[in-house]
């Protein structure tokens, strides 16, 4: 799938249920030429204004990429959050210099091709997706440009010292720890069907059986292929090489972080069952160019969020959107990626 368009969470209002009878805006005026609403819903400093049509397009583009947002469209808290984002993107993207824009335009071109290719393969093609969401291709490109211009500008303000300081802080918290771990999983449930395979007692007994064979010199790879219920590693010697330990469930992560190297463990219990493990190496990712870019983006996103929270209230001059009855819920975390294997979180 294509890269996310929006650089910070759009879900701060999504922790609340959609309110019945949510306040409605006044009937919008329209222009005969386009049939789109022209009423101004918000103004901000230095002559900025947002029309209903522009706001609707901004929301609908986000909805096209995150269909779950549809249930929150009439929620005043959600609308206010989206307005905050739209104004923030507009103000900050306007400050991008020519180099940032040139680099961003190349990325936008690549992303637009990926988007049209992806949605073109869906039922009805790209035209149906645009029609269903009430937007045009230029609306997607516009939001992407704002997003890339904004992030490019914010990343340009992050210096090397800030990156190094952030790396040291996160490395101390084991954010960049990797390990090569081989394991044999004796699962309680079938990975594909989630049907019960065995009881905990049966799984533990089977894990101890495997441990006993390994202690007597059994081949780890052969036993993994015979016994392991982890489809992601059983045919690869049970091994995950130089894997990020933070992707794993807590019990597996803890064992991978602390077990003596090259020693077969006693059965380690997790929510998946029992693991017989052997940690072959542990290390911390060095601060290479890839990690520098990742940290720079993190710091830029934090600056973006700080701007939205601290500066946005001072920018707004008028706001005609309905106001929420209560304060918005804290920002919701983005859903985690599906687990690639039983060892994954």
């Amino acid at each position: 799938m294509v890269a996310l368009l929006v650089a910070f969470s759009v879900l701060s209002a999504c922790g609340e249920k959609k309110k019945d009878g949510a306040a409605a805006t006044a009937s919008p005026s329209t222009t005969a030429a386009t049939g789109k609403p022209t009423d101004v819903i918000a103004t901000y400093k230095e002559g900025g204004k947002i029309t209903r049509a522009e706001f609707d397009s901004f929301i609908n583009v986000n909805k096209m990429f995150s269909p779950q947002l549809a249930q929150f469209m009439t929620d005043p808290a959600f609308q206010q959050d989206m307005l905050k984002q739209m104004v923030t993107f507009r103000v900050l993207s306007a400050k991008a210099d020519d180099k940032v824009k040139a680099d961003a335009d190349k990325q936008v071109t690549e992303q637009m091709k990926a988007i049209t290719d992806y949605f073109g393969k869906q039922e009805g093609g790209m035209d149906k997706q645009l029609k269903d969401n009430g937007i045009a291709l230029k609306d997607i490109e516009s939001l992407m440009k704002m997003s890339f211009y904004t992030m490019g500008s914010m990343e340009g303000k992050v210096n090397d010292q800030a990156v190094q300081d952030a790396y040291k802080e996160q490395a101390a918290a084991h954010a960049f720890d990797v390990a090569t771990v081989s394991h044999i999983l004796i699962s309680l449930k079938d990975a594909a069907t989630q049907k019960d395979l065995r009881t905990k007692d049966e799984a533990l007994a089977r894990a101890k059986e495997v441990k006993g064979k390994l202690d007597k010199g059994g081949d780890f790879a052969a036993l993994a292929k015979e016994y392991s219920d982890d489809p992601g590693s059983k045919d690869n010697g049970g091994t995950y090489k130089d894997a990020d330990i933070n992707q794993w469930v807590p019990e597996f992560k803890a064992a991978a972080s602390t077990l003596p190297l090259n020693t077969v463990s006693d059965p380690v219990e997790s929510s998946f069952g029992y693991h017989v493990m052997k940690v072959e190496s542990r290390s911390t990712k060095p601060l290479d160019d890839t990690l520098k870019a990742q940290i720079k983006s993190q710091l830029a996103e934090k600056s973006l969020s700080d701007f939205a929270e601290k500066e946005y209230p001072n920018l707004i001059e008028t706001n005609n959107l309905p106001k929420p009855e209560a304060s918005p819920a804290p920002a919701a975390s983005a859903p985690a990626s599906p687990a690639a294997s039983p060892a994954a979180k």
Side-chain angles (χ1 to χ4, degrees), residues 192-258:
T193 65
Q194 289 302 296
K195 291 183 178 180
D196 291 337
L197 288 177
R198 53 186 68 91
T199 66
K200 284 184 65 174
D201 288 343
E202 291 169 341
L204 179 57
R206 188 172 172 85
K208 287 180 177 179
E209 177 185 336
V210 170
K211 159 73 170 169
K213 290 186 176 184
L214 290 169
D215 288 344
K216 292 177 181 178
D219 181 75
F220 203 105
L223 289 170
K225 191 165 187 177
E226 179 182 354
Y227 282 90
S228 185
D229 295 313
D230 177 9
S233 69
K234 66 177 299 178
D235 293 327
N236 188 39
T239 302
Y240 289 101
K241 185 174 178 59
D242 293 330
D244 178 0
I245 69 168
N246 294 292
Q247 69 180 301
W248 292 325
V249 293
E251 302 88 350
F252 195 93
K253 173 185 173 181
S257 301
T258 60

Side-chain angles (χ1 to χ4, degrees), residues 81-289:
D81 188 63
M82 295 300 287
L83 177 63
K84 179 194 296 184
Q85 291 186 53
M86 189 173 183
V87 171
T88 296
F89 277 143
R90 276 199 174 182
V91 170
L92 293 179
S93 64
K95 297 179 180 181
D97 61 28
D98 290 342
K99 183 181 183 307
V100 167
K101 289 181 179 179
D103 290 342
D105 285 344
K106 294 178 183 177
Q107 296 180 66
V108 170
T109 298
E110 293 172 359
Q111 287 295 302
M112 289 302 295
K113 183 180 185 307
I115 288 168
T116 53
D117 287 349
Y118 176 82
F119 285 108
K121 296 174 182 176
Q122 309 303 309
E123 184 179 353
M126 189 70 181
D127 289 343
K128 183 177 187 301
Q129 295 291 329
L130 295 173
K131 183 178 179 181
D132 288 350
N133 287 281
I135 58 174
L137 204 58
K138 64 181 177 60
D139 295 322
I140 299 176
E141 185 175 18
S142 175
L143 176 51
M144 292 198 68
K145 281 190 174 183
M146 282 199 299
S147 177
F148 278 105
Y149 287 4
T150 297
M151 289 305 296
S153 181
M154 301 298 280
E155 287 178 4
K157 297 176 182 178
V158 179
N159 59 38
D160 288 342
Q161 187 61 53
V163 171
Q164 291 173 9
D165 291 344
Y167 171 78
K168 290 178 182 178
E169 180 181 351
Q170 293 181 50
H174 305 288
F176 307 123
D177 286 2
V178 296
T180 295
V181 181
S182 296
H183 84 131
I184 297 171
L185 169 66
I186 308 302
S187 185
L188 303 180
K189 294 180 180 293
D190 182 272
T193 65
Q194 289 302 296
K195 291 183 178 180
D196 291 337
L197 288 177
R198 53 186 68 91
T199 66
K200 284 184 65 174
D201 288 343
E202 291 169 341
L204 179 57
R206 188 172 172 85
K208 287 180 177 179
E209 177 185 336
V210 170
K211 159 73 170 169
K213 290 186 176 184
L214 290 169
D215 288 344
K216 292 177 181 178
D219 181 75
F220 203 105
L223 289 170
K225 191 165 187 177
E226 179 182 354
Y227 282 90
S228 185
D229 295 313
D230 177 9
S233 69
K234 66 177 299 178
D235 293 327
N236 188 39
T239 302
Y240 289 101
K241 185 174 178 59
D242 293 330
D244 178 0
I245 69 168
N246 294 292
Q247 69 180 301
W248 292 325
V249 293
E251 302 88 350
F252 195 93
K253 173 185 173 181
S257 301
T258 60
L259 285 172
L261 295 180
N262 298 306
T263 301
V264 176
S265 74
D266 290 326
V268 174
E269 183 180 1
S270 80
S271 55
F272 292 103
Y274 289 93
H275 310 260
V276 178
M277 302 172 59
K278 181 173 67 173
V279 182
E280 298 171 24
S281 67
R282 272 191 294 265
S283 61
T284 301
K285 293 179 187 176
L287 186 57
D288 58 13
D289 289 343

